[in-house]
């Protein structure tokens, strides 16, 4: 039986390449005419067959790109076992590589990169990819011998995987996100749990800082686990007053954190650091490589990165903040905030939580499709304004700065999906930076 690939994004393209190398017979399709045109130019004899729900059951495996829901009406007549993601194909082709798999609502990419940096410094051959950078199947296409695979996994990729057994499984945190794709939050959490392993030779690192992750850790059916926390001293590994307190690998050892990169200086990044420490200890990587990596870490673009820092303005770009929880973390320990947010609000997100920072926020500029809904739910009407798009919002913000005395902290943390005006959060973040640079030149 043939396979079928639907949605030729980066991950879909890597699936096609791997199936071709393996001489598998398959059809494929993408709804974008431009994408199909480029595919025809790139590959000879590629079988492009429009998706047809009445014949999908005739295929063996149906590889659906993570950007498309497997609950779409197109798949209403398809056996659920046939619907799989790139993670399934990747895992089928793994041999002896040790997998470190990371998921969570926020912080996945930073944690993935940090762990990858540490392992590379220790002279290990490492593939870093998944939901960040290189698609999973590229690790096989490269035909290199990687000792470790450090992979970021979204809930979408984890939806269809069974009996997944990474060397280390990590759940960073869980908060309301992607509820437009799931019946309820419980289903989202259940999907995230697919990352956990049951092999006694492997380990699960699980946060106990949010109630949902803590509930998973306390599940007696989940064995081989290490808890970590930013503030809970009951955790196996926790942070306190500049120290990592380790009760798991040693008897209450205190490890002082110093010389931390500015790109890891935000409080919420401490969770990423704790996890990276635990991975080092579990894999018996010398701690010097951990210390060097947190000192020299270069953050990924648009994740609370500093766009501008002058005497009068600090501009922070966190376009990656696609939900309320992530946006709120950006505001921690900040003063004189001029906040830009907006786009398409995610189902179940609670914008009323911004009231926690009402004394630190000078003004809020809300733009995009959900602007009126967000303003209403925020209940900060006295300091909130709505605009059609990001450019108009930033223009008015910049005018208001002329009357502000002191150093303003301009934070771009949309708390929303970007798709009303931008293809993805990267394009949104890049556009924001260009607007800021344009203002400086004037």
């Amino acid at each position: 039986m043939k396979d079928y690939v639907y949605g030729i994004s980066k991950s879909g393209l890597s699936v096609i390449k791997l199936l071709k190398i393996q001489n598998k017979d398959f059809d494929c399709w993408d709804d974008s005419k431009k994408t199909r045109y480029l595919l025809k130019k790139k590959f000879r004899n590629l079988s492009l067959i429009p998706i047809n729900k009445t014949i999908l059951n005739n295929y063996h495996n149906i590889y659906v790109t993570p950007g498309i829901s497997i609950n779409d009406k197109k798949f209403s007549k398809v056996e659920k076992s046939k619907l799989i993601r790139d993670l399934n194909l990747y895992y089928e082709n793994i041999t002896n590589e040790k997998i470190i798999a990371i998921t969570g609502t926020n912080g996945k990419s930073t944690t993935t990169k940090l762990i990858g940096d540490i392992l590379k410094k220790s002279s290990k051959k490492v593939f870093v990819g998944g939901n960040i950078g290189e698609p999973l199947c590229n690790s096989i296409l490269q035909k290199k011998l990687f000792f470790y695979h450090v992979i970021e996994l979204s809930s979408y990729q984890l939806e269809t995987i069974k009996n997944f057994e990474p060397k280390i499984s990590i759940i960073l945190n869980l908060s309301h996100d992607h509820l437009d794709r799931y019946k309820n939050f419980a289903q989202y959490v259940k999907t995230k749990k697919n990352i956990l392993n049951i092999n006694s030779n492997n380990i699960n690192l699980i946060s106990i800082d949010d109630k949902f992750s803590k509930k998973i850790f306390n599940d007696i059916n989940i064995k081989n686990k290490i808890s970590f926390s930013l503030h809970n001293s009951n955790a196996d590994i926790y942070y306190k007053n500049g120290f990592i307190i380790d009760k798991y690998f040693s008897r209450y050892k205190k490890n002082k954190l110093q010389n931390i990169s500015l790109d890891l200086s935000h409080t919420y990044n401490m969770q990423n650091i704790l996890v990276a420490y635990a991975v080092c200890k579990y894999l018996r990587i010398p701690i010097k490589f951990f210390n060097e990596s947190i000192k020299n870490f270069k953050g990924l673009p648009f994740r609370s990165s500093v766009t501008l820092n002058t005497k009068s303005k600090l501009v922070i770009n966190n376009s990656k903040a696609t939900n309320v929880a992530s946006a709120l973390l950006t505001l921690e320990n900040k003063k004189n905030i001029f906040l830009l947010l907006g786009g398409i609000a995610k189902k179940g997100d609670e914008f009323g939580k911004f009231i926690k920072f009402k004394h630190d926020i000078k003004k809020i500029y809300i733009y995009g499709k959900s602007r009126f809904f967000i303003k209403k739910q925020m209940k900060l009407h006295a300091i909130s304004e709505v605009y059609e798009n990001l450019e108009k919002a930033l223009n008015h913000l910049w005018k208001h700065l002329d009357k502000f005395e002191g150093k303003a902290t301009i934070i771009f943390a949309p708390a929303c999906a970007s798709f009303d005006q931008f293809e993805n959060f990267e394009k949104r973040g890049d556009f924001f930076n260009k607007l800021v640079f344009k203002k400086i030149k004037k």
Side-chain angles (χ1 to χ4, degrees), residues 369-406:
K369 185 176 181 179
S370 300
R371 59 192 182 276
F372 298 111
F373 165 78
I374 294 170
K375 184 179 180 183
K376 183 179 179 181
Q377 198 181 86
M378 265 188 165
K379 296 179 181 177
L380 292 168
H381 304 296
I383 58 171
S384 298
E385 297 180 0
V386 294
Y387 298 95
E388 184 182 355
N389 57 49
L390 176 57
E391 186 169 9
K392 288 181 179 178
L394 184 66
N395 285 341
H396 282 82
L397 183 157
W398 220 260
K399 287 178 184 177
H400 293 158
L401 293 179
D402 290 338
K403 300 174 184 177
F404 182 72
E405 295 181 5

Side-chain angles (χ1 to χ4, degrees), residues 92-128:
E92 284 172 16
N93 287 277
I94 289 299
T95 51
N96 298 316
E97 297 88 347
K98 292 178 171 62
I99 299 172
I100 301 163
I102 300 116
T103 198
T105 304
N106 299 307
K108 299 185 293 294
S109 298
T110 299
T111 303
T112 302
K113 184 178 185 297
L114 178 57
I115 293 171
D117 287 355
I118 293 167
L119 294 178
K120 287 174 184 176
K121 278 187 181 295
S122 66
S123 300
K124 301 295 184 184
K125 292 181 179 179
V126 186
F127 170 80
V128 179

